[in-house]
Amino acid sequence: TTPTGTKPTQTPSQSGVPAGYPHTKEGAQSAAANYTVALGSDGMFDKDRRPEILTAVYTSQVAAQRTARLDKVYSDKDFLARIGLAPDGSAPDGLTFISRSSPLGTKAESYSDTKASVAVWYSTLFGFAGESTQHPVTESWYTTTFELTWTGQDWKVDDDKQEEGPTPVNGDQRVSSSEDMQKAVEQFGGFTYAR
């Protein structure tokens, strides 16, 4: 349960994206946090998983629009080459592709029984772990504001807008080796977030 004592989610829905959020302000914030994780995952680069994720996150009409648009983006060989992926979206041999988002906090900008606007502040890891990588894993910070609607007994996204930051000062920690980064990605799973 959450710190408020309410159950945040029931069971994972399509493609493992948590669903069944409470019809509350906290439920809307939990949905936005978990949708941030899903949309920032490596599953978005998989042509079979991507439509499942989009269907789990967005309202049906928006999911259809986003699927058509993102299929064009993620099948563009020039785009895939720029970020280091093969034309089929796979990682080069010997490298581990990493794309993860970790929410740090949420804020309800507005809330009603049918609509909610929720901002999520989060960090991302993106790149490749491996000795021969030309695209090492880097960290970035963003805030995405989700416009959510209550439909089908759950919160779904109508629209979202991303902006950079707030970004903290880099610390003085030693950068991990590619081997340690690969092990971390393989050994550490993600979380279901609840407000």
Side-chain angles (χ1 to χ4, degrees), residues 95-107:
L95 298 180
T96 300
F97 177 54
I98 300 169
S99 181
R100 286 195 184 187
S101 295
S102 299
L104 272 290
T106 61
K107 177 176 66 167

Side-chain angles (χ1 to χ4, degrees), residues 17 32-33 47 50 62 65 72 81-82 98 107 112 127 142 179 188:
V17 180
K47 66 181 179 61
R50 183 169 55 250
V62 174
Q65 295 169 349
K72 290 181 182 178
R82 276 197 308 275
I98 300 169
K107 177 176 66 167
S112 72
Y142 300 97
E179 181 182 3
F188 291 91

Side-chain angles (χ1 to χ4, degrees), residues 172-192:
D172 57 359
Q173 291 178 288
R174 177 181 59 84
V175 174
S176 297
S177 68
S178 293
E179 181 182 3
D180 286 344
M181 190 64 71
Q182 282 178 304
K183 286 180 181 177
V185 170
E186 292 166 1
Q187 295 173 0
F188 291 91
F191 295 99
T192 297

Side-chain angles (χ1 to χ4, degrees), residues 79-133:
F79 165 73
L80 294 172
R82 276 197 308 275
I83 62 175
L85 290 170
D88 65 355
S90 63
D93 289 343
L95 298 180
T96 300
F97 177 54
I98 300 169
S99 181
R100 286 195 184 187
S101 295
S102 299
L104 272 290
T106 61
K107 177 176 66 167
E109 303 284 5
S110 63
Y111 177 80
S112 72
D113 281 347
T114 57
K115 298 285 185 182
S117 180
V118 177
V120 182
W121 179 40
Y122 59 100
S123 64
T124 66
L125 296 178
F126 189 87
F128 296 86
E131 292 301 327
S132 62
T133 183

